[in-house]
């Protein structure tokens, strides 16, 4: 059974998580999403998309569904997995005070799910004040450190002061929320080895790479390669054929998952910020 990717949206109170969710629900990404949210009241659903709603679920005409998160994340995920028609992707909006790592661990422990990364929305306008507050600093810092991708809200440019604070926290791939290519970054809509008629062109700020091969790779070599991947490689997914069988591969920031599967060839796509890595860098690393 194909595993369903899960992306976790984190960020402190008022950072802009709901704004991001609103964009995801209205964008023309062509995916059937299930979004687990804390409060329906904050989600601004376009009336033209609204198909049906009740106390626990909102169904949209584009195939997306919103469900209330409730107190038990595992139970909510099991309800989704028990449905006959599975979504293409699950998005979890974490509360502003929650630990995204704990949510990620829940996802990783579900065999039918694949970890799609932690996206932390950060208030660029008020970040300095938040980090300067003794009561809030640890919470905000923890959410940023846990992120595989940091999206900066409420500002048009990244000031040197904000960048210095993010770098000090080890923030990965800080990107402005307003200009972020959400579908590509969050849902892995990457250029595949075959052409797509009418597809949107790849955004300029991220380098993309793809690879296809029928030649098996040594399994130990694959492990060594993944352990020494370049720093700028943010996302990689696909299937790898080795001399020990096939593996479904997911790389999201610091997280690597390789699980047994049936594979007749190696098919991979990858992505990273162009300022840190190029297509040639990824190619040289993979073939080294």
């Amino acid at each position: 059974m194909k595993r369903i990717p899960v992306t976790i949206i984190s960020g402190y109170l008022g950072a802009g998580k709901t704004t991001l969710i609103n964009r995801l629900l209205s964008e023309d990404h062509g995916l059937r999403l299930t979004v687990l949210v804390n409060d329906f009241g904050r989600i601004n659903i376009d009336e033209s998309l609204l198909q049906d709603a009740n106390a626990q679920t909102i169904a949209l005409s584009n195939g997306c569904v919103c469900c209330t998160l409730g107190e038990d994340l595992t139970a909510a995920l099991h309800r989704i997995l028990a449905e006959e028609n599975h979504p293409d992707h699950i998005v979890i909006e974490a509360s502003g005070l929650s630990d995204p790592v704990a949510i990620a661990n829940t996802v990783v422990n579900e065999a039918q799910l694949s970890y799609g990364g932690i996206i932390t929305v950060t208030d660029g306008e008020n970040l300095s004040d938040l980090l300067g507050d003794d009561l809030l600093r640890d919470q905000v810092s923890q959410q940023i450190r846990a992120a595989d991708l940091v999206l900066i809200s409420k500002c048009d440019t990244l000031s040197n002061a904000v960048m210095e604070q993010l770098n000090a926290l080890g923030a990965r791939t800080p990107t402005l929320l307003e200009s972020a290519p959400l579908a590509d970054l969050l849902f892995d809509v990457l250029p595949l080895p075959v052409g797509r008629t009418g597809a949107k062109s790849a955004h300029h700020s991220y380098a993309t790479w793809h690879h296809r091969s029928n030649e098996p790779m040594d399994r130990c070599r694959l492990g060594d390669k993944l352990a020494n991947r370049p720093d700028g490689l943010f996302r990689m997914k696909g299937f790898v054929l080795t001399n020990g069988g096939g593996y479904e591969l997911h790389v999201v920031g610091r997280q690597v998952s390789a699980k047994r599967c049936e594979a007749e060839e190696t098919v991979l796509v990858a992505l990273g910020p162009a300022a840190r890595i190029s297509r040639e860098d990824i190619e040289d690393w993979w073939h080294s």
Side-chain angles (χ1 to χ4, degrees):
M1 180 181 295
K2 181 181 178 181
R3 294 188 294 159
I4 305 171
V6 179
T7 298
I8 300 157
I9 307 298
S10 175
Y12 193 66
L13 300 169
K17 299 185 295 299
T18 303
T19 299
L20 185 149
I21 296 294
N22 286 336
R23 280 180 58 184
L24 295 180
L25 291 173
S26 61
E27 284 186 354
D28 185 19
H29 41 65
L31 297 174
R32 295 178 61 253
L33 309 179
T34 292
V35 182
L36 290 172
V37 298
N38 296 297
D39 181 8
F40 280 159
R42 297 177 301 155
I43 303 299
N44 182 22
I45 302 297
D46 187 332
E47 290 186 6
S48 64
L49 289 176
L50 186 59
Q51 179 173 303
D52 188 28
N54 58 46
Q56 293 185 318
T57 304
I58 295 176
L60 306 183
S61 58
N62 61 7
C64 298
V65 174
C66 292
C67 300
T68 51
L69 184 55
E71 297 181 358
D72 192 336
L73 173 62
T74 301
L77 291 172
H78 285 174
R79 286 197 301 271
I80 296 171
L81 295 173
E83 295 175 357
E84 183 176 351
N85 295 319
H86 287 167
D88 298 316
H89 203 109
I90 297 172
V91 177
I92 300 173
E93 181 195 2
S95 75
L97 302 177
S98 64
D99 175 10
V101 175
I103 298 175
N105 289 337
T106 299
V107 171
V108 170
N109 289 329
E110 289 290 339
Q112 292 177 263
L113 304 176
S114 67
Y115 174 67
I118 295 171
I119 312 299
T120 295
V121 184
T122 301
D123 184 343
E125 186 178 51
N126 298 300
L127 180 62
S128 296
D129 291 339
L130 292 171
L131 294 178
D133 191 315
D134 292 340
L135 294 178
L136 307 181
R137 181 189 303 113
D138 290 346
Q139 182 83 54
V140 175
S141 299
Q142 189 271 341
Q143 292 173 346
I144 293 174
R145 289 193 179 99
D148 296 294
L149 174 69
V150 175
L151 293 180
I152 311 299
S153 65
K154 304 182 182 180
C155 62
D156 298 325
T157 59
L158 292 176
S159 68
N160 291 334
V162 170
M163 283 303 301
E164 288 177 2
Q165 290 174 312
L166 292 172
N167 289 334
L169 293 172
R172 299 179 63 86
T173 325
T175 303
L176 292 173
L177 175 59
E178 289 303 316
S179 61
L182 295 184
D184 287 356
L185 292 179
L186 275 63
F187 299 145
D188 307 327
V189 183
L190 302 179
L192 298 176
V194 294
R196 295 183 296 162
T197 303
K200 292 184 295 184
S201 60
H203 44 84
H204 68 277
S205 59
Y206 280 78
T208 60
W209 170 90
H210 66 259
H211 173 72
R212 185 190 292 269
S213 173
N214 291 314
E215 183 177 348
M217 174 181 285
D218 181 82
R219 186 171 60 178
C220 293
R221 181 182 169 221
L222 174 63
D224 291 340
K225 187 175 294 295
L226 292 174
N228 295 282
R229 60 194 183 279
D231 292 337
L233 184 68
F234 166 67
R235 186 69 168 105
M236 189 177 198
K237 71 167 186 172
F239 304 93
V240 181
L241 180 62
T242 77
N243 58 1
Y247 286 87
E248 179 184 347
L249 177 65
H250 288 272
V251 174
V252 184
R254 294 170 285 236
Q255 179 80 21
V256 177
S257 169
K259 294 190 177 182
R260 290 277 196 176
C261 71
E262 296 294 329
E264 298 181 354
E265 62 178 345
T266 294
V267 180
L268 292 168
V269 291
L271 164 150
R276 299 181 182 178
I277 199 167
S278 67
R279 182 191 303 267
E280 291 73 25
D281 293 333
I282 303 175
E283 182 79 8
D284 291 344
W285 162 72
W286 184 255
H287 291 287
S288 63

